[in-house]
Amino acid sequence: MTYDPSPNQISEIAIRVCRGDGQQTDVTQSAKLRGGQRRPFLVLTLTTADGTTGTSFGFSTLNPRTAGEGMVPLKQFFLGRDVYERERAALEFRKFDRSWTLSPSYTYGPFDNAMWDIIGKKSGVSVSRLLGRFRDHVPVYVSSMFHAGGVDAYLREAVEAKEAGFQGYKIHPGGDVTEDLELYAAVREAVGPDFTLMSDPVGAYTYNEAMIVGRELERLNYRWLEEPVHDVDWHSQKRLREQLDIPIVGTETSPWGNRGTSAAIANGQVDAVRADVSWRGGITEVMKIGSLADAFGMRCELHSCIYHALELINLQCASAMTNCSYFELLYPLDDYDFGLKTGIQISDGYATVPDERGLGLDYDWDFIDNVTEALL
């Protein structure tokens, strides 16, 4: 039988730029990510010649219109391509992007995700089964936003997370070492010795500060220390990994998928890697990163994609990765649960993996259309 690519060629691409609510006019304040508001977002939809559609949310930064415009060169790149030829697209995009485009890291992933959505629909099965699904439920931990004004908000959330049955709580601290040390100890006391806790300072510390914090987190039995120094301060990360017992986790912003992760593994700069379907090249690259880490006996812990419509795509990957411990969601969950008629299903601290055709997402198009500011 001769393969006919024509029904599978991408004939239409729509990029929706969608507004948030309650956004700060001061970009510096918006960047502090305090939570409590719906952030702007992008929605990408691919349509093949036979009318099959695939959709993925996209990251919008602090300026959704600029983020959407950043995807327009990829729109031109993907039009006319066969959705089944993901590897061809990835290879040719590396050359295309390196020559002139230099696209932001969050632009490619939604295109890859949407192609998988179409492939799953055409195959009549969920993406998780196409990926090699091995579990139907994945343990969930929740992560704080950056709370101003002391430890009380963190203590309340940590206790709520434990009582709700979540499998852990990760702290995004303020970055002042003295205050953070008090916070780490107070949260551990509040939830008891056995509840899983993690720390993610998002690169706030110097090497010496990270050493002090790491030793204290070891004493407090925290599960891992994530990005203790700036993302690309690989020298300090390596020294920390060699001197601390607590695992050092990183690579969530590394470009170029598995190729951008390999050096961190080979050079001993992390104990576990990070990936997600938003910033790290979509489903295809996430699964490659997971396999790369697994070849070195290393965990690949999936990074939150913020929006639940993207988190559910992350969950498809988590269902097929044997070296992924958890499914991460930002807390409180309601802040990021929009644009879907059916959200993430969680019971006893475990997220249920969707099993409908494709990505299995039931988008609330009335809501999405109502907040769409531009169609690119």
Side-chain angles (χ1 to χ4, degrees), residues 66-335:
T66 299
E69 294 284 0
M71 295 176 71
V72 170
L74 282 77
K75 177 177 178 177
Q76 299 163 351
F77 174 83
F78 275 99
L79 276 170
R81 289 186 175 272
D82 185 331
V83 293
Y84 284 94
E85 296 183 352
R86 292 173 295 97
E87 291 298 334
R88 180 194 295 272
L91 176 62
E92 293 181 357
F93 181 75
R94 282 201 294 269
K95 299 175 182 178
F96 167 81
D97 192 53
R98 178 60 184 86
S99 296
W100 294 108
T101 315
L102 299 178
S103 303
S105 60
Y106 50 80
T107 56
Y108 191 90
F111 286 87
D112 186 78
N113 298 336
M115 287 194 293
W116 274 102
D117 194 17
I118 292 171
I119 292 168
K121 289 175 179 176
K122 287 175 174 286
S123 302
V125 297
S126 65
V127 168
S128 70
R129 296 200 180 277
L130 292 176
L131 295 174
R133 178 177 178 132
F134 90 99
R135 56 182 170 177
D136 300 327
H137 305 89
V138 183
V140 180
Y141 77 86
V142 294
S143 291
S144 76
M145 297 303 281
F146 295 89
H147 296 307
V151 303
D152 289 348
Y154 293 98
L155 295 178
R156 182 181 66 254
E157 285 188 351
V159 171
E160 286 176 358
K162 180 180 179 181
E163 292 178 348
F166 290 112
Q167 303 298 303
Y169 178 72
K170 189 172 76 178
I171 297 171
H172 288 108
D176 179 282
V177 172
T178 300
E179 295 176 357
D180 292 354
L181 290 173
E182 294 176 358
L183 170 63
Y184 295 138
V187 173
R188 171 51 75 199
E189 182 178 2
V191 298
D194 300 323
F195 186 64
T196 298
L197 294 173
M198 305 90 153
S199 167
D200 182 2
V202 193
Y205 302 143
T206 65
Y207 165 77
N208 288 330
E209 290 171 338
M211 277 296 299
I212 294 170
V213 167
R215 291 299 185 204
E216 178 65 1
L217 294 181
E218 289 172 351
R219 186 186 71 81
L220 294 170
N221 191 32
Y222 274 59
R223 178 68 179 266
W224 70 59
L225 175 57
E226 184 176 332
E227 290 192 335
V229 295
H230 192 269
D231 308 45
V232 294
D233 186 359
W234 297 116
H235 176 67
S236 294
Q237 286 202 56
K238 182 176 182 180
R239 292 172 67 198
L240 290 167
R241 192 197 67 79
E242 291 171 345
Q243 297 181 60
L244 293 171
D245 293 326
I246 187 171
I248 303 298
V249 181
T251 75
E252 74 182 44
T253 62
S254 297
W256 296 111
N258 65 334
R259 293 190 175 196
T261 308
S262 59
I265 295 175
N267 295 329
Q269 294 157 336
V270 290
D271 291 293
V273 300
R274 294 286 261 168
D276 69 69
V277 299
S278 177
W279 295 356
R280 300 299 312 279
I283 294 169
T284 299
E285 287 297 332
V286 165
M287 298 309 295
K288 288 182 179 179
I289 294 168
S291 294
L292 173 66
D294 189 54
F296 286 84
M298 186 176 289
R299 311 299 292 178
C300 177
E301 301 296 352
L302 294 184
H303 170 247
S304 169
C305 294
I306 303 175
Y307 319 106
H308 285 195
L310 273 171
E311 302 287 26
L312 280 163
I313 304 177
N314 244 5
L315 183 58
Q316 303 263 345
C317 294
S319 76
M321 297 172 68
T322 59
N323 59 330
C324 175
S325 306
Y326 299 103
F327 177 53
E328 179 185 22
L329 294 174
L330 294 178
Y331 195 84
L333 304 188
D334 289 347
D335 284 357

Side-chain angles (χ1 to χ4, degrees), residues 17-82:
V17 178
C18 301
R19 64 179 178 272
D21 61 11
Q23 296 300 305
Q24 297 276 354
T25 55
D26 183 339
V27 173
T28 303
Q29 292 300 316
S30 294
K32 292 182 179 179
L33 301 179
R34 298 300 189 194
Q37 56 190 332
R38 188 186 75 246
R39 306 199 67 78
F41 59 102
L42 306 177
V43 182
L44 171 75
T45 299
L46 308 181
T47 304
T48 52
D50 66 356
T52 308
T53 61
T55 297
S56 174
F57 268 39
F59 184 64
S60 69
T61 71
L62 298 177
N63 188 327
R65 180 60 186 247
T66 299
E69 294 284 0
M71 295 176 71
V72 170
L74 282 77
K75 177 177 178 177
Q76 299 163 351
F77 174 83
F78 275 99
L79 276 170
R81 289 186 175 272
D82 185 331

